[in-house]
Amino acid sequence: MIEYNFREIEEKWQRYWEENKTFRVERDPNKKKYYVLEMFPYPSGKLHIGHLRNYSIGDVVARYKRMRGFNVLHPMGWDAFGLPAENAAIKMKVHPASWTYGNIENMRKQLKEIGASYDWDREVATCDPDYYKWTEWMFLQFYKAGLAYKAEALVNWCPKCKTVLANEQVEQGRCWRCGSVVQKKKLEQWFLKITDYAEELLSDIEKLEGWPERVKLMQKNWIGKSEGVEVDFEVEGLDEVMPIFTTRIDTIFGVTFMALAPEHPLVDKIISLSSNGDEIRNFVDEVLRQDQSYRSDISTEKEGIFTGYYAVNPVNGERIPVWVANYILMEYGTGAIMGVPAHDERDFEFAKKYNLPIRVVISPDGSANPHLEEAYTGDGIQVNSGEFDGLSCKEAKEKIADWVERQGIGRRKVNYKLRDWLISRQRYWGAPIPIVYCQKCGIVPVPEDRLPVILPLDLQIGEDGSSPLPKSKEFVEARCPVCGGPAKRETDTMDTFICSSWYFDRFTSPRSDDKPFEKDDIEYWMPVDQYIGGVEHAVLHLLYSRFFTKFLADRGLFEFREPFKNLLTQGMVIKDGAKMSKSLGNIVDPDDIIKKYGADTARLFILFTSPPERDLEWSDQGVEGAHRFLKRVWRLYQLLIPKLPRKSFEVIDVDDIKSKETRRLKRFLHYTIKRVTIDIDKRMHFNTAISALMELTNELYKFKPQTEEDWMVVNEALNAMVLMFHPFVPHIAEELWSLLGNDSTLAYEPWPQWDEKAATFEEVTVVVQINGKVRSQFDAPRGLSKEELKEMALSSDAVRSRIEGKEIVKVVVVPDKIVSIVVR
């Protein structure tokens, strides 16, 4: 018997697939397409177990769909720009390009070693000029449409690294990279007007039927639509109007203070005019060093400072003190709020701390109880609300909004939490922004026929992390495309989310050099039928991709408006009860697993241990068990293949099979085909599909073929089982397919079909439990009554011997499954 040599087998078939370009695919209008895509990785240099899980899931889908006759697009590429390459360049004194391309080479090798069935002819890297040429082109389309603009913005600035930091890169007010205290700095930055698409992005979420509800809810909350009223409050002594947005206009008579976000533009004016301006400035600077997530957390202590200024409540003329408060964010509403402590929890906490008045204007029973232990945020009756007293708050919302609009002091408005996308980055390793600045012509876009603006590779990042682009005379100095005069290039680069917001489109025409994608290709392949990736990308990447798709559709580049039909967010891989991380020392290296057990074992364990959407608990024993099972499958075929009569078997109809045992194997086979097909196709429950194949393996081991009809069914089972194993463990499946006498890859072999008549068992195995322990089992015709099954169980020798002389307390029967006997 030949031993299972996984190394030889896996190297053999990986070489075969590569040499024969087995998974290369072209557009074919005569075949139905299927586009399966895993989120492409950042080329960090080494695959981790999370990668392996992601790509194994995608590969099962790709291989299965090919066998179902689909024209499958399954590409791979690299999200290659970004800060990690710059960090590595500084630490290891290498160029980001060298580090990035070296990592790509290593990770490409690893992906081939796990047997992923990618069309490598479509590989792209976002740092290649032939890719970022079109990223720059995308920016120009936004600019032409008026959706790319430059404006001053308050940003997180690291004085040591000399770059803008995303909010996620600020940890407890300090730079995540160098630990410096982060400053808030106003800079001219480029934005994309994603807010123009806020309503469509929100309303179309319900059309995403193949998306997890959790992800859809996260996107809804991120967009954050609210309907309310914007009201203008005049500020005494400043000749300024301070608009606020509220969803509770019914509480406007209960305003006892106003609060501004520290970032609010009015704050600078107040500081410049106020006698305690220095004190206010110190407070503002301290708050701006805090994480926004900390400030917005309802449990954070509310802090503020009185500005010395008063606003006028337009509904009753009251003078209201204006404060600056840490819990007000510029990202929400207008960055200013009317404080109604009686009916808002955070306002209540703030008012209590600073001894501000609390006025009840909504009462559950119509009485104005001034003594509140906590804010009342429910519905009720208006009190202390002038002419609106006695109305329900629901009625008051409409009537007060009408009154505000008639008075010209406010307007109904729909507001979104979503803000325009700040895409400028003061870093080197990113796609250049194709803009020049001319003293005569102003901001001038680079003409499309002069793209790409090449990122120079002969520059070195400063040891302090600063971008070398502003210091490069060759890069900065340019000619104005309009007047031909001297101009300077934009030295900011684009947020890497820009690169990943359209890469799935480029995969359809990766070698097109005169457009980002060919119209025929994009219309045939898109949208992606199955997208797979981590839930951590649920908002930003997925939202930006949807935004890009809708914008490009509006530009007439294609007709679809959503990029991904179905989305699977796989769970994390955890070990010892925690997510794998270097700091915890619980990392498992996929290379070590593949070297010791093989790629098929690694894939089988990952796919069998947990459904894709749930967390996977790593187990070394589980990996060993998966390997033992593959060796068991290998032995089964080694035992049976030499005994198969060397002639072509026809498939025998289940009704023509004489032997009861053989007929049972035939039924078990077709029942398994049905289970595996449904588990993959309808539920993506690969774990239960593999479990079904394990059960079929056990049945084949138990079966002892004697006659020609026995061998006919065994042959059918061996062939069908290899086909079903292929999406999960492709290398061993290919080798067994070859040993069965086939001389071509099974990658495009038809998926086995089940015979519904054969897939229904004539008999079922009924388990007998005595006092909760399995003591016997017997085969019985399907559909017997409870009484018939009870009688069969009690009359069997195995059961009679165990209950003899004992009192039967109870017998519970589950038809076709279990007879449970309780004795004493």
Side-chain angles (χ1 to χ4, degrees), residues 212-284:
E213 288 301 321
R214 175 188 177 192
V215 175
K216 290 159 67 172
L217 180 60
M218 290 169 74
Q219 291 218 355
K220 287 178 184 177
N221 291 339
W222 189 266
I223 296 168
K225 181 179 179 180
S226 54
E227 298 180 6
V229 181
E230 190 173 82
V231 184
D232 298 327
F233 285 71
E234 292 185 1
V235 182
E236 294 178 347
L238 289 183
D239 194 26
E240 291 273 0
V241 170
M242 182 169 60
I244 63 93
F245 174 81
T246 180
T247 59
R248 293 295 307 270
I249 191 66
D250 53 320
T251 66
I252 193 168
F253 286 88
V255 177
T256 60
F257 69 93
M258 308 294 290
L260 296 169
E263 304 93 334
H264 197 288
L266 199 57
V267 172
D268 282 341
K269 187 171 183 178
I270 289 172
I271 288 172
S272 66
L273 297 174
S274 178
S275 59
N276 65 333
D278 290 343
E279 188 181 353
I280 298 172
R281 169 59 65 197
N282 291 337
F283 173 79
V284 166

Side-chain angles (χ1 to χ4, degrees), residues 600-617:
D600 281 343
T601 292
R603 290 170 61 123
L604 185 70
F605 167 75
I606 282 172
L607 296 166
F608 173 65
T609 304
S610 173
E613 69 278 6
R614 295 185 185 172
D615 289 347
L616 183 154
E617 177 72 45

Side-chain angles (χ1 to χ4, degrees), residues 551-746:
F551 169 73
L552 294 176
D554 286 341
R555 299 293 288 180
L557 274 72
F558 41 68
E559 294 184 2
F560 59 92
R561 301 191 69 82
E562 288 289 345
F564 315 120
K565 281 186 180 178
N566 298 289
L567 174 69
L568 172 69
T569 53
Q570 85 274 6
M572 296 187 301
V573 181
I574 57 179
K575 189 170 188 286
D576 304 325
K579 181 182 178 182
M580 285 189 183
S581 71
K582 291 180 181 177
S583 61
L584 294 175
N586 63 353
I587 289 288
V588 175
D589 188 339
D591 283 353
D592 294 342
I593 302 300
I594 292 171
K595 184 178 180 180
K596 186 174 181 180
Y597 297 107
D600 281 343
T601 292
R603 290 170 61 123
L604 185 70
F605 167 75
I606 282 172
L607 296 166
F608 173 65
T609 304
S610 173
E613 69 278 6
R614 295 185 185 172
D615 289 347
L616 183 154
E617 177 72 45
W618 186 265
S619 163
D620 294 336
Q621 293 77 17
V623 175
E624 292 169 3
H627 190 62
R628 285 196 302 272
F629 173 69
L630 288 182
K631 289 198 290 186
R632 191 163 187 263
V633 171
W634 179 262
R635 283 196 304 272
L636 176 69
Y637 279 77
Q638 292 291 315
L639 286 168
L640 293 177
I641 288 176
K643 299 176 183 178
L644 287 172
R646 293 302 173 188
K647 66 177 182 177
S648 177
F649 283 122
E650 294 180 3
V651 175
I652 187 169
D653 188 276
V654 68
D655 291 337
D656 295 333
I657 298 174
K658 301 179 180 64
S659 164
K660 174 183 175 183
E661 289 76 16
T662 310
R663 193 161 56 245
R664 185 183 187 283
L665 178 62
K666 172 87 173 186
R667 291 188 181 281
F668 202 97
L669 168 63
H670 283 264
Y671 175 62
T672 302
I673 295 172
K674 181 177 181 179
R675 281 179 63 189
V676 173
T677 305
I678 291 172
D679 281 344
I680 297 176
D681 207 38
K682 304 298 183 185
R683 304 192 301 155
M684 292 184 75
H685 281 194
F686 306 140
N687 57 321
T688 53
I690 292 169
S691 178
L693 289 169
M694 290 177 171
E695 292 174 20
L696 179 58
T697 302
N698 292 337
E699 290 296 317
L700 279 166
Y701 261 108
K702 290 189 294 184
F703 186 70
K704 305 301 178 187
Q706 302 293 330
T707 66
E708 182 174 328
E709 75 172 17
D710 293 348
W711 284 107
M712 290 173 73
V713 175
V714 168
N715 184 62
E716 182 186 359
L718 292 176
N719 279 272
M721 194 159 72
V722 165
L723 292 167
M724 289 187 284
F725 267 124
H726 170 249
F728 307 108
V729 285
H731 306 89
I732 191 174
E734 288 273 25
E735 187 67 15
L736 294 176
W737 183 248
S738 175
L739 293 176
L740 283 166
N742 301 287
D743 56 6
S744 63
T745 174
L746 56 69

Side-chain angles (χ1 to χ4, degrees), residues 38-86:
E38 304 96 62
M39 294 179 185
F40 66 168
Y42 182 81
S44 58
K46 203 168 184 64
L47 292 181
H48 54 66
I49 291 294
H51 285 133
L52 183 56
R53 188 182 194 195
N54 191 17
Y55 306 138
S56 296
I57 292 168
D59 200 51
V60 170
V61 178
R63 289 179 181 273
Y64 171 76
K65 289 295 182 179
R66 286 190 198 98
M67 298 176 78
R68 295 306 301 263
F70 288 89
N71 194 27
V72 174
L73 175 59
H74 190 209
M76 176 49 66
W78 313 97
D79 191 9
F81 274 137
L83 278 172
E86 295 190 7

